[in-house]
mmCIF file of all heavy atoms in Angstrom:
data_model
loop_
_atom_site.group_PDB
_atom_site.id
_atom_site.type_symbol
_atom_site.label_atom_id
_atom_site.label_comp_id
_atom_site.label_asym_id
_atom_site.label_seq_id
_atom_site.Cartn_x
_atom_site.Cartn_y
_atom_site.Cartn_z
ATOM 1 N N GLY A 1 15.345 10.211 -9.404
ATOM 2 C CA GLY A 1 15.940 11.606 -8.919
ATOM 3 C C GLY A 1 14.915 12.381 -8.129
ATOM 4 O O GLY A 1 15.404 13.164 -7.230
ATOM 5 N N ALA A 2 13.631 12.031 -8.223
ATOM 6 C CA ALA A 2 12.683 12.863 -7.490
ATOM 7 C C ALA A 2 12.137 11.921 -6.386
ATOM 8 O O ALA A 2 11.670 12.522 -5.265
ATOM 9 C CB ALA A 2 11.485 13.208 -8.341
ATOM 10 N N TYR A 3 12.104 10.617 -6.438
ATOM 11 C CA TYR A 3 11.495 9.715 -5.448
ATOM 12 C C TYR A 3 12.565 9.260 -4.440
ATOM 13 O O TYR A 3 12.019 8.507 -3.505
ATOM 14 C CB TYR A 3 11.022 8.506 -6.157
ATOM 15 C CG TYR A 3 9.582 8.718 -6.818
ATOM 16 C CD1 TYR A 3 9.465 9.397 -7.880
ATOM 17 C CD2 TYR A 3 8.484 8.077 -6.204
ATOM 18 C CE1 TYR A 3 8.177 9.574 -8.461
ATOM 19 C CE2 TYR A 3 7.190 8.264 -6.756
ATOM 20 C CZ TYR A 3 7.054 8.930 -7.865
ATOM 21 O OH TYR A 3 5.800 9.133 -8.385
ATOM 22 N N ARG A 4 13.725 9.737 -4.444
ATOM 23 C CA ARG A 4 14.750 9.200 -3.641
ATOM 24 C C ARG A 4 14.943 9.963 -2.190
ATOM 25 O O ARG A 4 15.711 9.576 -1.391
ATOM 26 C CB ARG A 4 16.108 9.306 -4.264
ATOM 27 C CG ARG A 4 16.656 10.666 -4.567
ATOM 28 C CD ARG A 4 18.003 10.722 -5.242
ATOM 29 N NE ARG A 4 18.356 11.967 -5.708
ATOM 30 C CZ ARG A 4 18.991 12.851 -4.797
ATOM 31 N NH1 ARG A 4 19.279 12.523 -3.541
ATOM 32 N NH2 ARG A 4 19.508 14.080 -5.212
ATOM 33 N N VAL A 5 14.210 11.025 -2.023
ATOM 34 C CA VAL A 5 14.417 11.926 -0.808
ATOM 35 C C VAL A 5 13.652 11.354 0.395
ATOM 36 O O VAL A 5 12.796 10.538 0.300
ATOM 37 C CB VAL A 5 14.116 13.389 -1.167
ATOM 38 C CG1 VAL A 5 15.055 13.880 -2.091
ATOM 39 C CG2 VAL A 5 12.678 13.513 -1.614
ATOM 40 N N HIS A 6 14.068 11.887 1.537
ATOM 41 C CA HIS A 6 13.524 11.433 2.817
ATOM 42 C C HIS A 6 11.993 11.227 3.126
ATOM 43 O O HIS A 6 11.562 10.161 3.398
ATOM 44 C CB HIS A 6 14.053 12.304 3.942
ATOM 45 C CG HIS A 6 15.528 12.572 4.088
ATOM 46 N ND1 HIS A 6 16.276 13.046 3.044
ATOM 47 C CD2 HIS A 6 16.419 12.242 4.989
ATOM 48 C CE1 HIS A 6 17.526 13.221 3.430
ATOM 49 N NE2 HIS A 6 17.664 12.666 4.560
ATOM 50 N N PRO A 7 11.220 12.368 2.820
ATOM 51 C CA PRO A 7 9.763 12.116 3.034
ATOM 52 C C PRO A 7 9.128 11.097 2.092
ATOM 53 O O PRO A 7 8.128 10.446 2.469
ATOM 54 C CB PRO A 7 9.192 13.492 2.937
ATOM 55 C CG PRO A 7 10.242 14.282 2.152
ATOM 56 C CD PRO A 7 11.602 13.658 2.405
ATOM 57 N N VAL A 8 9.696 10.947 0.834
ATOM 58 C CA VAL A 8 9.131 10.001 -0.045
ATOM 59 C C VAL A 8 9.482 8.539 0.335
ATOM 60 O O VAL A 8 8.637 7.667 0.294
ATOM 61 C CB VAL A 8 9.616 10.278 -1.500
ATOM 62 C CG1 VAL A 8 9.008 9.252 -2.501
ATOM 63 C CG2 VAL A 8 9.188 11.734 -1.971
ATOM 64 N N GLU A 9 10.766 8.393 0.741
ATOM 65 C CA GLU A 9 11.131 7.080 1.177
ATOM 66 C C GLU A 9 10.297 6.668 2.378
ATOM 67 O O GLU A 9 9.842 5.399 2.528
ATOM 68 C CB GLU A 9 12.646 7.058 1.548
ATOM 69 C CG GLU A 9 13.122 5.647 2.024
ATOM 70 C CD GLU A 9 14.620 5.616 2.267
ATOM 71 O OE1 GLU A 9 15.297 6.408 1.882
ATOM 72 O OE2 GLU A 9 14.959 4.649 2.984
ATOM 73 N N TRP A 10 10.004 7.621 3.376
ATOM 74 C CA TRP A 10 9.190 7.375 4.449
ATOM 75 C C TRP A 10 7.825 6.863 3.989
ATOM 76 O O TRP A 10 7.162 5.966 4.398
ATOM 77 C CB TRP A 10 9.154 8.485 5.263
ATOM 78 C CG TRP A 10 8.314 8.305 6.547
ATOM 79 C CD1 TRP A 10 6.941 8.465 6.722
ATOM 80 C CD2 TRP A 10 8.742 7.921 7.859
ATOM 81 N NE1 TRP A 10 6.563 8.141 8.017
ATOM 82 C CE2 TRP A 10 7.614 7.892 8.775
ATOM 83 C CE3 TRP A 10 10.022 7.720 8.429
ATOM 84 C CZ2 TRP A 10 7.766 7.582 10.103
ATOM 85 C CZ3 TRP A 10 10.290 7.494 9.767
ATOM 86 C CH2 TRP A 10 9.010 7.356 10.611
ATOM 87 N N SER A 11 7.197 7.680 3.015
ATOM 88 C CA SER A 11 5.919 7.359 2.552
ATOM 89 C C SER A 11 5.851 5.927 1.866
ATOM 90 O O SER A 11 4.824 5.258 1.959
ATOM 91 C CB SER A 11 5.394 8.385 1.656
ATOM 92 O OG SER A 11 5.193 9.631 2.167
ATOM 93 N N VAL A 12 6.842 5.630 1.124
ATOM 94 C CA VAL A 12 6.897 4.316 0.455
ATOM 95 C C VAL A 12 6.969 3.131 1.466
ATOM 96 O O VAL A 12 6.203 2.181 1.469
ATOM 97 C CB VAL A 12 8.141 4.058 -0.428
ATOM 98 C CG1 VAL A 12 8.346 2.760 -0.960
ATOM 99 C CG2 VAL A 12 8.029 5.120 -1.618
ATOM 100 N N GLY A 13 7.683 3.432 2.587
ATOM 101 C CA GLY A 13 7.837 2.410 3.677
ATOM 102 C C GLY A 13 6.495 2.245 4.414
ATOM 103 O O GLY A 13 6.050 1.194 4.748
ATOM 104 N N GLU A 14 5.815 3.441 4.666
ATOM 105 C CA GLU A 14 4.618 3.490 5.401
ATOM 106 C C GLU A 14 3.534 2.691 4.557
ATOM 107 O O GLU A 14 2.678 1.890 5.158
ATOM 108 C CB GLU A 14 4.100 4.793 5.728
ATOM 109 C CG GLU A 14 2.892 4.911 6.544
ATOM 110 C CD GLU A 14 2.621 6.251 7.332
ATOM 111 O OE1 GLU A 14 3.579 7.095 7.183
ATOM 112 O OE2 GLU A 14 1.574 6.348 7.902
ATOM 113 N N ALA A 15 3.544 2.966 3.282
ATOM 114 C CA ALA A 15 2.531 2.242 2.377
ATOM 115 C C ALA A 15 2.819 0.791 2.423
ATOM 116 O O ALA A 15 1.887 -0.084 2.392
ATOM 117 C CB ALA A 15 2.579 2.801 1.012
ATOM 118 N N ALA A 16 4.118 0.285 2.341
ATOM 119 C CA ALA A 16 4.410 -0.975 2.308
ATOM 120 C C ALA A 16 3.958 -1.773 3.635
ATOM 121 O O ALA A 16 3.390 -2.847 3.674
ATOM 122 C CB ALA A 16 5.877 -1.212 2.090
ATOM 123 N N GLY A 17 4.264 -1.110 4.710
ATOM 124 C CA GLY A 17 3.908 -1.719 6.024
ATOM 125 C C GLY A 17 2.396 -1.780 6.230
ATOM 126 O O GLY A 17 1.907 -2.851 6.724
ATOM 127 N N THR A 18 1.772 -0.780 5.811
ATOM 128 C CA THR A 18 0.246 -0.808 5.858
ATOM 129 C C THR A 18 -0.361 -1.822 4.910
ATOM 130 O O THR A 18 -1.282 -2.646 5.323
ATOM 131 C CB THR A 18 -0.375 0.554 5.501
ATOM 132 O OG1 THR A 18 0.311 1.670 6.284
ATOM 133 C CG2 THR A 18 -1.856 0.638 5.645
ATOM 134 N N LEU A 19 0.226 -1.958 3.755
ATOM 135 C CA LEU A 19 -0.217 -2.951 2.769
ATOM 136 C C LEU A 19 -0.145 -4.368 3.209
ATOM 137 O O LEU A 19 -0.875 -5.294 3.083
ATOM 138 C CB LEU A 19 0.446 -2.639 1.404
ATOM 139 C CG LEU A 19 0.108 -3.707 0.347
ATOM 140 C CD1 LEU A 19 -1.365 -3.721 -0.088
ATOM 141 C CD2 LEU A 19 1.020 -3.518 -0.882
ATOM 142 N N ALA A 20 1.210 -4.649 3.801
ATOM 143 C CA ALA A 20 1.416 -5.968 4.362
ATOM 144 C C ALA A 20 0.413 -6.374 5.445
ATOM 145 O O ALA A 20 -0.135 -7.478 5.476
ATOM 146 C CB ALA A 20 2.888 -6.082 4.831
ATOM 147 N N ALA A 21 0.274 -5.435 6.325
ATOM 148 C CA ALA A 21 -0.701 -5.720 7.491
ATOM 149 C C ALA A 21 -2.182 -5.906 6.940
ATOM 150 O O ALA A 21 -2.879 -6.766 7.362
ATOM 151 C CB ALA A 21 -0.677 -4.587 8.464
ATOM 152 N N PHE A 22 -2.504 -5.040 5.856
ATOM 153 C CA PHE A 22 -3.839 -5.112 5.342
ATOM 154 C C PHE A 22 -4.034 -6.541 4.702
ATOM 155 O O PHE A 22 -5.132 -7.202 4.859
ATOM 156 C CB PHE A 22 -4.043 -4.039 4.283
ATOM 157 C CG PHE A 22 -5.354 -3.924 3.591
ATOM 158 C CD1 PHE A 22 -6.305 -3.164 4.071
ATOM 159 C CD2 PHE A 22 -5.478 -4.666 2.453
ATOM 160 C CE1 PHE A 22 -7.586 -3.119 3.450
ATOM 161 C CE2 PHE A 22 -6.745 -4.560 1.691
ATOM 162 C CZ PHE A 22 -7.733 -3.830 2.214
ATOM 163 N N CYS A 23 -3.078 -6.977 3.933
ATOM 164 C CA CYS A 23 -3.182 -8.182 3.280
ATOM 165 C C CYS A 23 -3.232 -9.475 4.213
ATOM 166 O O CYS A 23 -4.058 -10.372 3.976
ATOM 167 C CB CYS A 23 -1.931 -8.416 2.251
ATOM 168 S SG CYS A 23 -2.015 -7.340 0.873
ATOM 169 N N LEU A 24 -2.447 -9.382 5.194
ATOM 170 C CA LEU A 24 -2.505 -10.410 6.328
ATOM 171 C C LEU A 24 -3.878 -10.469 6.971
ATOM 172 O O LEU A 24 -4.388 -11.467 7.182
ATOM 173 C CB LEU A 24 -1.413 -10.138 7.336
ATOM 174 C CG LEU A 24 0.079 -10.481 6.975
ATOM 175 C CD1 LEU A 24 1.061 -9.948 7.968
ATOM 176 C CD2 LEU A 24 0.242 -12.038 6.849
ATOM 177 N N GLU A 25 -4.389 -9.436 7.215
ATOM 178 C CA GLU A 25 -5.697 -9.283 7.969
ATOM 179 C C GLU A 25 -6.855 -9.943 7.135
ATOM 180 O O GLU A 25 -7.700 -10.540 7.575
ATOM 181 C CB GLU A 25 -5.998 -7.857 8.387
ATOM 182 C CG GLU A 25 -7.147 -7.742 9.358
ATOM 183 C CD GLU A 25 -6.716 -8.101 10.703
ATOM 184 O OE1 GLU A 25 -5.519 -8.169 11.050
ATOM 185 O OE2 GLU A 25 -7.591 -8.483 11.475
ATOM 186 N N ARG A 26 -6.818 -9.583 5.840
ATOM 187 C CA ARG A 26 -7.863 -10.023 4.850
ATOM 188 C C ARG A 26 -7.652 -11.235 4.064
ATOM 189 O O ARG A 26 -8.467 -11.737 3.209
ATOM 190 C CB ARG A 26 -8.192 -8.814 3.985
ATOM 191 C CG ARG A 26 -8.878 -7.676 4.832
ATOM 192 C CD ARG A 26 -8.719 -6.387 4.045
ATOM 193 N NE ARG A 26 -9.324 -5.356 4.905
ATOM 194 C CZ ARG A 26 -8.750 -4.726 6.046
ATOM 195 N NH1 ARG A 26 -7.667 -5.212 6.473
ATOM 196 N NH2 ARG A 26 -9.411 -3.849 6.684
ATOM 197 N N GLY A 27 -6.378 -11.747 4.131
ATOM 198 C CA GLY A 27 -5.992 -12.979 3.366
ATOM 199 C C GLY A 27 -5.916 -12.734 1.883
ATOM 200 O O GLY A 27 -6.329 -13.645 1.073
ATOM 201 N N VAL A 28 -5.561 -11.599 1.382
ATOM 202 C CA VAL A 28 -5.403 -11.292 0.106
ATOM 203 C C VAL A 28 -4.008 -10.895 -0.382
ATOM 204 O O VAL A 28 -3.198 -10.540 0.543
ATOM 205 C CB VAL A 28 -6.379 -10.171 -0.384
ATOM 206 C CG1 VAL A 28 -7.912 -10.514 -0.117
ATOM 207 C CG2 VAL A 28 -6.080 -8.900 0.463
ATOM 208 N N SER A 29 -3.593 -10.942 -1.540
ATOM 209 C CA SER A 29 -2.317 -10.523 -2.058
ATOM 210 C C SER A 29 -2.305 -9.025 -2.373
ATOM 211 O O SER A 29 -3.354 -8.405 -2.808
ATOM 212 C CB SER A 29 -1.978 -11.319 -3.264
ATOM 213 O OG SER A 29 -2.781 -10.981 -4.408
ATOM 214 N N PRO A 30 -1.123 -8.481 -2.374
ATOM 215 C CA PRO A 30 -0.949 -7.020 -2.827
ATOM 216 C C PRO A 30 -1.516 -6.842 -4.230
ATOM 217 O O PRO A 30 -2.193 -5.838 -4.635
ATOM 218 C CB PRO A 30 0.549 -6.736 -2.612
ATOM 219 C CG PRO A 30 0.973 -7.653 -1.674
ATOM 220 C CD PRO A 30 0.131 -8.913 -1.768
ATOM 221 N N ARG A 31 -1.271 -7.736 -5.131
ATOM 222 C CA ARG A 31 -1.694 -7.706 -6.554
ATOM 223 C C ARG A 31 -3.256 -7.722 -6.604
ATOM 224 O O ARG A 31 -3.835 -6.975 -7.314
ATOM 225 C CB ARG A 31 -1.139 -8.898 -7.254
ATOM 226 C CG ARG A 31 -1.052 -8.708 -8.762
ATOM 227 C CD ARG A 31 -0.367 -9.815 -9.511
ATOM 228 N NE ARG A 31 0.793 -10.374 -8.855
ATOM 229 C CZ ARG A 31 1.989 -9.832 -8.872
ATOM 230 N NH1 ARG A 31 2.184 -8.751 -9.599
ATOM 231 N NH2 ARG A 31 3.056 -10.431 -8.251
ATOM 232 N N ALA A 32 -3.797 -8.644 -5.801
ATOM 233 C CA ALA A 32 -5.362 -8.593 -5.729
ATOM 234 C C ALA A 32 -5.864 -7.335 -5.214
ATOM 235 O O ALA A 32 -6.944 -6.818 -5.704
ATOM 236 C CB ALA A 32 -5.827 -9.787 -4.968
ATOM 237 N N VAL A 33 -5.217 -6.661 -4.247
ATOM 238 C CA VAL A 33 -5.683 -5.409 -3.708
ATOM 239 C C VAL A 33 -5.661 -4.388 -4.842
ATOM 240 O O VAL A 33 -6.648 -3.671 -5.042
ATOM 241 C CB VAL A 33 -4.816 -4.930 -2.554
ATOM 242 C CG1 VAL A 33 -5.250 -3.558 -2.143
ATOM 243 C CG2 VAL A 33 -4.920 -5.912 -1.339
ATOM 244 N N ARG A 34 -4.649 -4.288 -5.669
ATOM 245 C CA ARG A 34 -4.566 -3.325 -6.676
ATOM 246 C C ARG A 34 -5.540 -3.523 -7.672
ATOM 247 O O ARG A 34 -6.120 -2.557 -8.229
ATOM 248 C CB ARG A 34 -3.131 -3.233 -7.182
ATOM 249 C CG ARG A 34 -3.015 -2.208 -8.403
ATOM 250 C CD ARG A 34 -1.617 -2.157 -8.899
ATOM 251 N NE ARG A 34 -1.556 -0.961 -9.706
ATOM 252 C CZ ARG A 34 -1.356 -1.068 -11.188
ATOM 253 N NH1 ARG A 34 -1.226 -2.273 -11.665
ATOM 254 N NH2 ARG A 34 -1.318 -0.073 -11.925
ATOM 255 N N ASN A 35 -5.847 -4.720 -8.091
ATOM 256 C CA ASN A 35 -6.672 -5.019 -9.194
ATOM 257 C C ASN A 35 -8.191 -5.392 -8.729
ATOM 258 O O ASN A 35 -8.928 -5.773 -9.733
ATOM 259 C CB ASN A 35 -5.991 -6.196 -9.959
ATOM 260 C CG ASN A 35 -4.703 -5.875 -10.599
ATOM 261 O OD1 ASN A 35 -4.637 -4.874 -11.310
ATOM 262 N ND2 ASN A 35 -3.574 -6.510 -10.212
ATOM 263 N N THR A 36 -8.428 -5.136 -7.658
ATOM 264 C CA THR A 36 -9.859 -5.293 -7.144
ATOM 265 C C THR A 36 -10.342 -3.955 -6.631
ATOM 266 O O THR A 36 -9.933 -3.501 -5.559
ATOM 267 C CB THR A 36 -9.929 -6.348 -5.980
ATOM 268 O OG1 THR A 36 -9.363 -7.544 -6.444
ATOM 269 C CG2 THR A 36 -11.534 -6.630 -5.703
ATOM 270 N N PRO A 37 -11.239 -3.236 -7.283
ATOM 271 C CA PRO A 37 -11.616 -1.844 -6.942
ATOM 272 C C PRO A 37 -12.034 -1.839 -5.466
ATOM 273 O O PRO A 37 -11.676 -0.809 -4.828
ATOM 274 C CB PRO A 37 -12.626 -1.514 -7.978
ATOM 275 C CG PRO A 37 -12.327 -2.284 -9.176
ATOM 276 C CD PRO A 37 -11.811 -3.601 -8.560
ATOM 277 N N ALA A 38 -12.823 -2.697 -4.977
ATOM 278 C CA ALA A 38 -13.402 -2.584 -3.664
ATOM 279 C C ALA A 38 -12.237 -2.681 -2.647
ATOM 280 O O ALA A 38 -12.181 -1.991 -1.608
ATOM 281 C CB ALA A 38 -14.384 -3.550 -3.368
ATOM 282 N N ARG A 39 -11.302 -3.638 -2.891
ATOM 283 C CA ARG A 39 -10.097 -3.835 -1.954
ATOM 284 C C ARG A 39 -9.240 -2.480 -2.063
ATOM 285 O O ARG A 39 -8.679 -2.066 -1.020
ATOM 286 C CB ARG A 39 -9.292 -5.031 -2.380
ATOM 287 C CG ARG A 39 -9.972 -6.330 -2.023
ATOM 288 C CD ARG A 39 -10.246 -6.519 -0.490
ATOM 289 N NE ARG A 39 -10.609 -7.846 -0.172
ATOM 290 C CZ ARG A 39 -11.102 -8.317 0.893
ATOM 291 N NH1 ARG A 39 -11.361 -7.301 1.926
ATOM 292 N NH2 ARG A 39 -11.482 -9.506 1.176
ATOM 293 N N LEU A 40 -8.949 -2.017 -3.252
ATOM 294 C CA LEU A 40 -8.112 -0.960 -3.344
ATOM 295 C C LEU A 40 -8.804 0.285 -2.615
ATOM 296 O O LEU A 40 -8.028 1.058 -1.846
ATOM 297 C CB LEU A 40 -7.976 -0.522 -4.852
ATOM 298 C CG LEU A 40 -7.170 0.797 -5.140
ATOM 299 C CD1 LEU A 40 -5.748 0.699 -4.508
ATOM 300 C CD2 LEU A 40 -7.132 1.014 -6.656
ATOM 301 N N ASP A 41 -10.034 0.542 -2.736
ATOM 302 C CA ASP A 41 -10.745 1.568 -2.008
ATOM 303 C C ASP A 41 -10.614 1.345 -0.443
ATOM 304 O O ASP A 41 -10.434 2.279 0.195
ATOM 305 C CB ASP A 41 -12.256 1.637 -2.437
ATOM 306 C CG ASP A 41 -12.935 2.743 -1.762
ATOM 307 O OD1 ASP A 41 -12.685 3.921 -2.112
ATOM 308 O OD2 ASP A 41 -13.804 2.511 -0.891
ATOM 309 N N GLU A 42 -10.696 0.218 -0.077
ATOM 310 C CA GLU A 42 -10.659 -0.110 1.335
ATOM 311 C C GLU A 42 -9.229 0.252 1.835
ATOM 312 O O GLU A 42 -9.050 0.810 2.954
ATOM 313 C CB GLU A 42 -10.902 -1.664 1.627
ATOM 314 C CG GLU A 42 -11.117 -1.968 3.045
ATOM 315 C CD GLU A 42 -11.496 -3.499 3.235
ATOM 316 O OE1 GLU A 42 -11.503 -4.182 2.232
ATOM 317 O OE2 GLU A 42 -11.557 -3.866 4.289
ATOM 318 N N LEU A 43 -8.048 -0.212 1.092
ATOM 319 C CA LEU A 43 -6.765 0.172 1.446
ATOM 320 C C LEU A 43 -6.620 1.669 1.530
ATOM 321 O O LEU A 43 -5.954 2.209 2.488
ATOM 322 C CB LEU A 43 -5.722 -0.499 0.538
ATOM 323 C CG LEU A 43 -4.337 -0.129 0.740
ATOM 324 C CD1 LEU A 43 -3.759 -0.561 2.093
ATOM 325 C CD2 LEU A 43 -3.391 -0.445 -0.404
ATOM 326 N N GLN A 44 -6.971 2.316 0.516
ATOM 327 C CA GLN A 44 -6.799 3.759 0.428
ATOM 328 C C GLN A 44 -7.606 4.526 1.507
ATOM 329 O O GLN A 44 -7.059 5.400 2.148
ATOM 330 C CB GLN A 44 -7.264 4.320 -0.904
ATOM 331 C CG GLN A 44 -6.415 3.851 -2.066
ATOM 332 C CD GLN A 44 -6.856 4.345 -3.446
ATOM 333 O OE1 GLN A 44 -8.022 4.264 -3.663
ATOM 334 N NE2 GLN A 44 -5.881 4.758 -4.282
ATOM 335 N N SER A 45 -8.751 4.012 1.943
ATOM 336 C CA SER A 45 -9.496 4.468 3.013
ATOM 337 C C SER A 45 -8.742 4.381 4.323
ATOM 338 O O SER A 45 -8.702 5.313 5.175
ATOM 339 C CB SER A 45 -10.931 3.929 3.173
ATOM 340 O OG SER A 45 -11.624 4.282 2.004
#
């Protein structure tokens, strides 16, 4: 009920597109990004 609105949907899509490109560039999986502190910090940066 809170996550369904326009700017949040946009942010989810932007995060997904960025994550996919990031994983392709570095040859890692989304799960590995989340569970590897250095990779997570790199994505967030």
Side-chain angles (χ1 to χ4, degrees):
Y3 278 74
R4 65 180 176 81
V5 293
H6 302 64
V8 181
E9 182 175 341
W10 182 277
S11 293
V12 171
E14 184 163 354
T18 305
L19 176 63
F22 180 90
C23 290
L24 283 168
E25 196 69 28
R26 290 155 181 79
V28 296
S29 70
R31 203 177 317 279
V33 172
R34 179 174 185 250
N35 295 301
T36 306
R39 289 297 192 194
L40 176 60
D41 182 68
E42 192 179 359
L43 172 68
Q44 290 176 321
S45 296

